[in-house]
Amino acid sequence: MKRLLSGITPSGDGSLHIGNYLGAVRQFIELAKSHETFLMVADLHGLTTIQDKFKLQHNIETLVLNELALLRGFMTESEFNNIIFFRQSDVPMHTECQSIINNVTPLGLLKRAHAYKDKLQKDVMEDDINVGLFSYPMLMAADILLYQADLVPVGKDQKQHVEITRDIAGYFNKIYKKNVFKLPDPFIPDEVAVVLGTDGQRKMSKTLGNVVSIFESEDVVRKQVMGAYTDPTRKHATDPGHIEGNMVFTYLGFFGHPTEVAALKEQYKAGKVSDVEVKEYLFKSLMSFFGPARSAYEELKNNPTLVKKILHSGQARALSVATQTMKGVRDAIGVTTTYSFFEYQKSTSGTHISIDEFARVEIRVGHVVEAANKEGSDKLIRLVVDVGEDSKRIIFTGVRGFGYTPDDFTGKQFFFITNLAPRKMMDEESQGMILAVDSPRSEAGGVDNKPQFISAEGMAVGAKIR
Ligand code: ADP
Ligand code: TRP
């Protein structure tokens, strides 16, 4: 299955309009059916323009709710669960990767990037442009490369960034003579045109105030619809009206019922229906089309725990891929050496687990009924343990090398993890694990590293740690 990654920046006020839906989110929903899909709230990208803490917080929260509501509103539960939805700032490797790939990127490549060039042309002095905006394509490249994405669905304005990403991946792989990064393809379906705003002139965009909102109150949406550009030549409802360039009919093409829309068009051309009536029909169509998403929005807004849970699970899945890629990057560039003392993954929040996850580990007091050296092994001691169940458990511990003998266990009580998947040890399955504490590491290693078992003497057999 090919992998897709895309992101939306929490710019403007963080909310999504019907242009964002038609131009972006709709594609994500469709492609997610046949692709492993990573969708990211690109909150760090927002910093190039938003430098007010409260505004950024507000925008992130709004975008998270808007995007999730659309996904949940228009996807089945199992389709939705396949999507890896996360926040860029929840995965620290994005900035780490950005800083490493900076070094394989020629300055000229960034100087040619539109976002920076356009700013310069608007009479903004170079000194007034922050490095974050200049290196915006680098962070976006890191976003994409970390996940080894095959496909990056974006609006036309972002195509150049994906091409820059391809170039950077190529430079890196060439310099380090290894295919560490996959070269991604931009994906811009032909039919994804830019949606014009209610002014009928310019691209629908929050900064231009010409949007039709998805999640605003009914009153606000109705007002936006009533203000839409229709046919300026038409003075009265009885005048024949024009359909071309009429924004109300443009939007109806996406959200109306085809046969009803066709009938309305005929009536409109014949001067038999008023603008207000057509707009009222558009308003109703929008409410019914986005109804499932609007309810999902209310549900999510009232359930921050659920939203956090979705983001948390997205983070975990994103981290595991990003960690894998960064391990390759670190190995390739030469920072992994004989003196490296940690597994990269252990140094990151990749190993943080939630309380919910921890609660799944079951630890019980166990009474060792029998203990014996396992025949044919010079490490294993075989314990028969009563953990308060009908039958006793067989649990192995590989500690003879530290000088432990069966007598150290027989008749005693310790803590055992009792819900591990059974693991085959020689000819038998070990049905749990005894808990031990490492000694402080000594230079000598070996016997000096002798682990200590945690005594549960005097506690009720089978009692659970919580
Ligand atoms: P804006 O351009 O309004 O700032 P964003 O950059 O936040 O919007 O866009 C998020 C996504 O929505 C991008 O993939 C972009 O291509 C798409 N998009 C934004 N406005 C429109 C529009 N008017 N028509 C089609 N797609 C749009
Ligand atoms: N720059 C994109 C935009 O403004 C948002 C974005 C950030 C993105 N990182 C990305 C898109 C990675 C695709 C892939 O729309």
mmCIF file of all heavy atoms in Angstrom, residues 371-383 394-398 400 406 424-430:
data_model
loop_
_atom_site.group_PDB
_atom_site.id
_atom_site.type_symbol
_atom_site.label_atom_id
_atom_site.label_comp_id
_atom_site.label_asym_id
_atom_site.label_seq_id
_atom_site.Cartn_x
_atom_site.Cartn_y
_atom_site.Cartn_z
ATOM 1 N N ALA A 371 10.633 -24.767 42.176
ATOM 2 C CA ALA A 371 11.643 -24.173 41.299
ATOM 3 C C ALA A 371 12.690 -25.218 40.995
ATOM 4 O O ALA A 371 13.044 -26.012 41.867
ATOM 5 C CB ALA A 371 12.293 -22.973 41.976
ATOM 6 N N ALA A 372 13.159 -25.241 39.740
ATOM 7 C CA ALA A 372 14.167 -26.238 39.370
ATOM 8 C C ALA A 372 14.992 -25.710 38.205
ATOM 9 O O ALA A 372 14.489 -24.919 37.398
ATOM 10 C CB ALA A 372 13.486 -27.543 38.970
ATOM 11 N N ASN A 373 16.252 -26.126 38.145
ATOM 12 C CA ASN A 373 17.044 -25.769 36.968
ATOM 13 C C ASN A 373 16.443 -26.458 35.754
ATOM 14 O O ASN A 373 16.038 -27.615 35.823
ATOM 15 C CB ASN A 373 18.495 -26.231 37.146
ATOM 16 C CG ASN A 373 19.226 -25.369 38.157
ATOM 17 O OD1 ASN A 373 18.854 -24.205 38.379
ATOM 18 N ND2 ASN A 373 20.255 -25.921 38.776
ATOM 19 N N LYS A 374 16.389 -25.708 34.653
ATOM 20 C CA LYS A 374 15.835 -26.309 33.443
ATOM 21 C C LYS A 374 16.899 -27.181 32.793
ATOM 22 O O LYS A 374 18.021 -26.715 32.541
ATOM 23 C CB LYS A 374 15.391 -25.186 32.488
ATOM 24 C CG LYS A 374 14.873 -25.664 31.161
ATOM 25 C CD LYS A 374 13.490 -26.265 31.272
ATOM 26 C CE LYS A 374 13.007 -26.761 29.892
ATOM 27 N NZ LYS A 374 11.762 -27.553 30.032
ATOM 28 N N GLU A 375 16.516 -28.404 32.519
ATOM 29 C CA GLU A 375 17.459 -29.339 31.927
ATOM 30 C C GLU A 375 17.852 -28.888 30.523
ATOM 31 O O GLU A 375 16.999 -28.425 29.768
ATOM 32 C CB GLU A 375 16.797 -30.718 31.823
ATOM 33 C CG GLU A 375 17.610 -31.807 32.503
ATOM 34 C CD GLU A 375 16.838 -33.113 32.487
ATOM 35 O OE1 GLU A 375 15.951 -33.268 33.365
ATOM 36 O OE2 GLU A 375 17.102 -33.924 31.585
ATOM 37 N N GLY A 376 19.129 -28.998 30.220
ATOM 38 C CA GLY A 376 19.597 -28.634 28.881
ATOM 39 C C GLY A 376 19.919 -27.156 28.752
ATOM 40 O O GLY A 376 20.331 -26.693 27.693
ATOM 41 N N SER A 377 19.717 -26.374 29.830
ATOM 42 C CA SER A 377 20.045 -24.948 29.774
ATOM 43 C C SER A 377 21.012 -24.623 30.913
ATOM 44 O O SER A 377 20.936 -25.221 31.979
ATOM 45 C CB SER A 377 18.774 -24.111 29.924
ATOM 46 O OG SER A 377 19.102 -22.793 30.315
ATOM 47 N N ASP A 378 21.936 -23.686 30.693
ATOM 48 C CA ASP A 378 22.795 -23.326 31.826
ATOM 49 C C ASP A 378 22.379 -21.978 32.428
ATOM 50 O O ASP A 378 23.043 -21.433 33.281
ATOM 51 C CB ASP A 378 24.281 -23.312 31.425
ATOM 52 C CG ASP A 378 24.528 -22.538 30.157
ATOM 53 O OD1 ASP A 378 23.584 -21.843 29.700
ATOM 54 O OD2 ASP A 378 25.644 -22.615 29.623
ATOM 55 N N LYS A 379 21.260 -21.434 31.928
ATOM 56 C CA LYS A 379 20.790 -20.133 32.437
ATOM 57 C C LYS A 379 19.461 -20.222 33.164
ATOM 58 O O LYS A 379 19.234 -19.570 34.173
ATOM 59 C CB LYS A 379 20.573 -19.161 31.259
ATOM 60 C CG LYS A 379 21.825 -18.610 30.643
ATOM 61 C CD LYS A 379 21.465 -17.329 29.891
ATOM 62 C CE LYS A 379 22.561 -16.918 28.936
ATOM 63 N NZ LYS A 379 22.299 -17.368 27.560
ATOM 64 N N LEU A 380 18.571 -21.045 32.600
ATOM 65 C CA LEU A 380 17.165 -20.949 33.006
ATOM 66 C C LEU A 380 16.824 -21.687 34.295
ATOM 67 O O LEU A 380 17.270 -22.813 34.532
ATOM 68 C CB LEU A 380 16.263 -21.501 31.891
ATOM 69 C CG LEU A 380 16.227 -20.713 30.579
ATOM 70 C CD1 LEU A 380 15.315 -21.429 29.568
ATOM 71 C CD2 LEU A 380 15.726 -19.294 30.822
ATOM 72 N N ILE A 381 16.007 -21.014 35.102
ATOM 73 C CA ILE A 381 15.371 -21.680 36.238
ATOM 74 C C ILE A 381 13.880 -21.703 35.933
ATOM 75 O O ILE A 381 13.314 -20.697 35.489
ATOM 76 C CB ILE A 381 15.635 -20.921 37.562
ATOM 77 C CG1 ILE A 381 17.141 -20.953 37.872
ATOM 78 C CG2 ILE A 381 14.837 -21.538 38.710
ATOM 79 C CD1 ILE A 381 17.532 -20.182 39.125
ATOM 80 N N ARG A 382 13.282 -22.877 36.129
ATOM 81 C CA ARG A 382 11.856 -23.037 35.813
ATOM 82 C C ARG A 382 11.052 -22.918 37.103
ATOM 83 O O ARG A 382 11.258 -23.682 38.038
ATOM 84 C CB ARG A 382 11.643 -24.414 35.185
ATOM 85 C CG ARG A 382 10.215 -24.754 34.829
ATOM 86 C CD ARG A 382 10.208 -26.190 34.289
ATOM 87 N NE ARG A 382 8.914 -26.610 33.787
ATOM 88 C CZ ARG A 382 7.979 -27.183 34.538
ATOM 89 N NH1 ARG A 382 8.172 -27.367 35.826
ATOM 90 N NH2 ARG A 382 6.848 -27.574 33.977
ATOM 91 N N LEU A 383 10.162 -21.909 37.119
ATOM 92 C CA LEU A 383 9.343 -21.694 38.309
ATOM 93 C C LEU A 383 7.915 -22.149 38.043
ATOM 94 O O LEU A 383 7.399 -21.950 36.950
ATOM 95 C CB LEU A 383 9.307 -20.199 38.676
ATOM 96 C CG LEU A 383 10.636 -19.450 38.764
ATOM 97 C CD1 LEU A 383 10.385 -17.956 39.048
ATOM 98 C CD2 LEU A 383 11.528 -20.049 39.865
ATOM 99 N N ILE A 394 3.772 -21.655 34.573
ATOM 100 C CA ILE A 394 5.188 -21.961 34.382
ATOM 101 C C ILE A 394 5.851 -20.661 33.935
ATOM 102 O O ILE A 394 5.457 -20.080 32.914
ATOM 103 C CB ILE A 394 5.384 -22.983 33.243
ATOM 104 C CG1 ILE A 394 4.409 -24.133 33.363
ATOM 105 C CG2 ILE A 394 6.851 -23.390 33.132
ATOM 106 C CD1 ILE A 394 4.843 -25.317 34.059
ATOM 107 N N ILE A 395 6.815 -20.205 34.704
ATOM 108 C CA ILE A 395 7.489 -18.955 34.348
ATOM 109 C C ILE A 395 9.004 -19.167 34.460
ATOM 110 O O ILE A 395 9.494 -19.663 35.478
ATOM 111 C CB ILE A 395 7.016 -17.803 35.267
ATOM 112 C CG1 ILE A 395 5.524 -17.520 35.009
ATOM 113 C CG2 ILE A 395 7.860 -16.542 35.043
ATOM 114 C CD1 ILE A 395 4.891 -16.481 35.913
ATOM 115 N N PHE A 396 9.716 -18.800 33.393
ATOM 116 C CA PHE A 396 11.164 -18.996 33.406
ATOM 117 C C PHE A 396 11.893 -17.721 33.780
ATOM 118 O O PHE A 396 11.420 -16.620 33.493
ATOM 119 C CB PHE A 396 11.650 -19.447 32.023
ATOM 120 C CG PHE A 396 11.294 -20.866 31.719
ATOM 121 C CD1 PHE A 396 10.121 -21.188 31.056
ATOM 122 C CD2 PHE A 396 12.154 -21.894 32.126
ATOM 123 C CE1 PHE A 396 9.789 -22.506 30.782
ATOM 124 C CE2 PHE A 396 11.824 -23.216 31.852
ATOM 125 C CZ PHE A 396 10.635 -23.523 31.189
ATOM 126 N N THR A 397 13.055 -17.875 34.396
ATOM 127 C CA THR A 397 13.927 -16.728 34.596
ATOM 128 C C THR A 397 15.368 -17.174 34.322
ATOM 129 O O THR A 397 15.792 -18.237 34.778
ATOM 130 C CB THR A 397 13.750 -16.104 36.011
ATOM 131 O OG1 THR A 397 14.710 -15.080 36.170
ATOM 132 C CG2 THR A 397 13.911 -17.123 37.121
ATOM 133 N N GLY A 398 16.069 -16.374 33.542
ATOM 134 C CA GLY A 398 17.403 -16.797 33.084
ATOM 135 C C GLY A 398 18.511 -16.208 33.929
ATOM 136 O O GLY A 398 19.246 -15.341 33.474
ATOM 137 N N ARG A 400 20.758 -18.093 36.262
ATOM 138 C CA ARG A 400 21.752 -18.960 36.900
ATOM 139 C C ARG A 400 23.151 -18.396 36.746
ATOM 140 O O ARG A 400 24.005 -18.571 37.619
ATOM 141 C CB ARG A 400 21.662 -20.378 36.350
ATOM 142 C CG ARG A 400 20.569 -21.163 37.083
ATOM 143 C CD ARG A 400 20.058 -22.326 36.289
ATOM 144 N NE ARG A 400 21.078 -23.330 35.991
ATOM 145 C CZ ARG A 400 20.885 -24.313 35.123
ATOM 146 N NH1 ARG A 400 19.727 -24.406 34.480
ATOM 147 N NH2 ARG A 400 21.836 -25.179 34.905
ATOM 148 N N PRO A 406 17.669 -22.630 42.438
ATOM 149 C CA PRO A 406 16.222 -22.796 42.687
ATOM 150 C C PRO A 406 15.839 -22.486 44.130
ATOM 151 O O PRO A 406 14.752 -21.969 44.380
ATOM 152 C CB PRO A 406 15.992 -24.261 42.343
ATOM 153 C CG PRO A 406 17.023 -24.561 41.295
ATOM 154 C CD PRO A 406 18.232 -23.773 41.704
ATOM 155 N N LYS A 424 7.966 -19.026 24.042
ATOM 156 C CA LYS A 424 8.555 -20.368 24.030
ATOM 157 C C LYS A 424 9.982 -20.308 24.565
ATOM 158 O O LYS A 424 10.821 -19.554 24.074
ATOM 159 C CB LYS A 424 8.544 -20.873 22.583
ATOM 160 C CG LYS A 424 8.802 -22.334 22.433
ATOM 161 C CD LYS A 424 7.498 -23.111 22.367
ATOM 162 C CE LYS A 424 7.756 -24.602 22.368
ATOM 163 N NZ LYS A 424 7.498 -25.238 21.099
ATOM 164 N N MET A 425 10.273 -21.090 25.611
ATOM 165 C CA MET A 425 11.633 -21.231 26.126
ATOM 166 C C MET A 425 11.949 -22.714 26.036
ATOM 167 O O MET A 425 11.340 -23.500 26.744
ATOM 168 C CB MET A 425 11.725 -20.798 27.596
ATOM 169 C CG MET A 425 11.136 -19.441 27.899
ATOM 170 S SD MET A 425 12.186 -18.111 27.383
ATOM 171 C CE MET A 425 12.582 -17.363 28.932
ATOM 172 N N MET A 426 12.888 -23.083 25.171
ATOM 173 C CA MET A 426 13.172 -24.491 24.918
ATOM 174 C C MET A 426 11.883 -25.195 24.514
ATOM 175 O O MET A 426 11.257 -24.775 23.567
ATOM 176 C CB MET A 426 13.832 -25.160 26.132
ATOM 177 C CG MET A 426 14.811 -24.246 26.822
ATOM 178 S SD MET A 426 16.495 -24.777 27.135
ATOM 179 C CE MET A 426 16.647 -26.468 26.832
ATOM 180 N N ASP A 427 11.453 -26.195 25.303
ATOM 181 C CA ASP A 427 10.280 -26.959 24.877
ATOM 182 C C ASP A 427 8.980 -26.496 25.540
ATOM 183 O O ASP A 427 7.936 -27.071 25.326
ATOM 184 C CB ASP A 427 10.516 -28.449 25.178
ATOM 185 C CG ASP A 427 10.793 -28.674 26.660
ATOM 186 O OD1 ASP A 427 11.245 -27.701 27.333
ATOM 187 O OD2 ASP A 427 10.562 -29.789 27.160
ATOM 188 N N GLU A 428 9.067 -25.450 26.376
ATOM 189 C CA GLU A 428 7.853 -25.024 27.081
ATOM 190 C C GLU A 428 7.605 -23.541 26.894
ATOM 191 O O GLU A 428 8.509 -22.784 26.551
ATOM 192 C CB GLU A 428 8.026 -25.268 28.590
ATOM 193 C CG GLU A 428 7.733 -26.675 29.028
ATOM 194 C CD GLU A 428 7.896 -26.819 30.531
ATOM 195 O OE1 GLU A 428 9.018 -26.603 31.036
ATOM 196 O OE2 GLU A 428 6.896 -27.124 31.193
ATOM 197 N N GLU A 429 6.365 -23.115 27.188
ATOM 198 C CA GLU A 429 6.064 -21.690 27.087
ATOM 199 C C GLU A 429 6.136 -21.039 28.456
ATOM 200 O O GLU A 429 5.582 -21.539 29.425
ATOM 201 C CB GLU A 429 4.672 -21.493 26.489
ATOM 202 C CG GLU A 429 4.665 -21.794 25.008
ATOM 203 C CD GLU A 429 3.448 -21.222 24.307
ATOM 204 O OE1 GLU A 429 2.369 -21.230 24.917
ATOM 205 O OE2 GLU A 429 3.598 -20.774 23.152
ATOM 206 N N SER A 430 6.802 -19.898 28.514
ATOM 207 C CA SER A 430 6.864 -19.140 29.748
ATOM 208 C C SER A 430 5.624 -18.255 29.780
ATOM 209 O O SER A 430 5.351 -17.512 28.848
ATOM 210 C CB SER A 430 8.126 -18.285 29.782
ATOM 211 O OG SER A 430 8.238 -17.660 31.043
#
